C-alpha cells in the first residue's frame, strides 16, 4: 500500500523552545496511525502541523507525494476533530454538520442528502433538530465527527477526542471511529 502522508525531518520550535526534533513518520492510505506520548510531548503540535494550523520550523509535510507546507488549512483535504467538540452552540445538529458545505455554496438538496448520510454513519439520523446543549458529550462528539466527515476528508485528524468524555460514552465514539476506518476506508 502507498504512503498517503509523510512527515520528513520535522522540527518545531516556538521562539527558542524546541518542541519537536527530527520527526519522521510515514502513514499509509487507510492506516489508523496513533501517536502516544506524555502531556506536552508535542502530539497536538504534530496534528496542528499536518492540518496546517502550525508550520514546521524545519522539514517537510508530504501528502500524496507533494510538499504541502505552504498549502493553507482550507485547501488541505484533512479535517480535524478536537477534544472539546467545538460545535456552534446556536445551530442545531443539521446546521452544524452542513456548515462547511453551506459556505462552499453547495446545492441545498445535496447538502441535505450528505448531512443525513453522515449523521446516519454516526448513528444520529434522528437528532437533526437537536441543539448541541440537548445532547450528551458522546453525542456532541459524534456530531463533530459527522461535521468533519461531511467535507469528505482524505485524512481525518483526531486529537484526544475521547479525553473530555464520561467513561461510559467513550465506547460509542470509538466504535464510530473504528467503523469509519474499517468500513469507510478513511485514513486516521
Ligand atoms: P501534547 O499535545 O503532546 O500534550 P503539545 O503539542 O500541545 O503537546 O505541546 C508541546 C509543547 O509545545 C508544550 O511544551 C507546549 O507548552 C508547547 N506549545 C504548544 N503550542 C505552543 C505555542 N503556540 N506557543 C508556545 N509553546 C507552545
Ligand atoms: Mg495535545
Amino acid at each position: 500500500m502507498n504512503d498517503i502522508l509523510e512527515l520528513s525531518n520535522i522540527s518545531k520550535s516556538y521562539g527558542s523552545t524546541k518542541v519537536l526534533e527530527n520527526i519522521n513518520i510515514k502513514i499509509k492510505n487507510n492506516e489508523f496511525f496513533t501517536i502516544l506520548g506524555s502531556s506536552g510531548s508535542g502530539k497536538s503540535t504534530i496534528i496542528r502541523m499536518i492540518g496546517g494550523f502550525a508550520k514546521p520550523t524545519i522539514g517537510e509535510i508530504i501528502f500524496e507525494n507533494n510538499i504541502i507546507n505552504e498549502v493553507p488549512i482550507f485547501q488541505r483535504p484533512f479535517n480535524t476533530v478536537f477534544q472539546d467538540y467545538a460545535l456552534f452552540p446556536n445551530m442545531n445538529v443539521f446546521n452544524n454538520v452542513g456548515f462547511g458545505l453551506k459556505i462552499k455554496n453547495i446545492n441545498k438538496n445535496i447538502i441535505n442528502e450528505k448531512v443525513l448520510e453522515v449523521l446516519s454513519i454516526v448513528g444520529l439520523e434522528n437528532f437533526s433538530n437537536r441543539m448541541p446543549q440537548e445532547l450528551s458529550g458522546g453525542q456532541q462528539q459524534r456530531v463533530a465527527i459527522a461535521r468533519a466527515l461531511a467535507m469528505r476528508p482524505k485524512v481525518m485528524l483526531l486529537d484526544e477526542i475521547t479525553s473530555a468524555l464520561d467513561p461510559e460514552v467513550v465506547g460509542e465514539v470509538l466504535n464510530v471511529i473504528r467503523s469509519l476506518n474499517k468500513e469507510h476506508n478513511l485514513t486516521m
Side-chain angles (χ1 to χ4, degrees):
M1 246 199 295
N2 295 331
D3 294 327
I4 187 168
L5 191 63
E6 179 177 354
L7 305 197
S8 174
N9 284 309
I10 294 278
S11 296
K12 175 67 177 172
S13 301
Y14 290 106
S16 58
T17 312
K18 195 164 238 180
V19 172
L20 293 166
E21 188 163 19
N22 203 17
I23 301 290
N24 290 283
I25 296 173
K26 283 184 178 178
I27 299 171
K28 292 194 186 310
N29 199 15
N30 196 26
E31 185 170 356
F32 192 112
F33 188 94
T34 306
I35 302 170
L36 289 178
S38 53
S39 181
S41 61
K43 305 178 296 294
S44 293
T45 301
I46 290 175
I47 288 179
R48 289 166 51 77
M49 288 191 296
I50 296 172
F53 302 95
K55 275 199 173 175
T57 309
I58 301 172
E60 286 162 348
I61 299 175
I62 299 160
F63 174 71
E64 291 180 336
N65 299 321
N66 295 308
I67 297 170
I68 59 163
N69 288 38
E70 301 303 324
V71 176
I73 298 171
F74 65 94
Q75 284 177 6
R76 298 187 188 199
F78 312 144
N79 249 292
T80 312
V81 180
F82 299 96
Q83 145 182 350
D84 59 1
Y85 341 127
L87 299 178
F88 305 114
N90 57 329
M91 289 182 200
N92 67 18
V93 166
F94 184 96
N95 289 328
N96 260 283
V97 174
F99 183 79
L101 298 170
K102 196 175 167 195
I103 61 171
K104 276 188 158 178
N105 276 323
I106 289 177
N107 174 288
K108 244 185 163 172
N109 294 330
I110 295 175
I111 294 182
N112 204 26
E113 201 176 292
K114 190 74 207 164
V115 168
L116 294 178
E117 181 196 333
V118 295
L119 280 178
S120 110
I121 289 173
V122 301
L124 292 174
E125 60 274 37
N126 298 321
F127 289 72
S128 288
N129 296 320
R130 289 274 191 102
M131 298 302 284
Q133 65 272 19
E134 297 167 345
L135 300 172
S136 71
Q139 289 166 336
Q140 289 186 56
Q141 194 55 296
R142 284 189 280 149
V143 174
I145 293 165
R147 184 176 58 182
L149 212 49
M151 303 307 287
R152 291 187 175 277
K154 290 192 174 171
V155 177
M156 198 137 139
L157 304 167
L158 311 164
D159 193 355
E160 297 202 46
I161 60 164
T162 61
S163 58
L165 297 177
D166 292 330
E168 59 271 23
V169 301
V170 166
E172 74 187 51
V173 171
L174 292 183
N175 284 339
V176 165
I177 291 301
R178 271 187 214 110
S179 94
L180 284 174
N181 176 242
K182 287 211 157 65
E183 289 153 40
H184 298 266
N185 297 325
L186 195 52
T187 308
M188 308 190 112

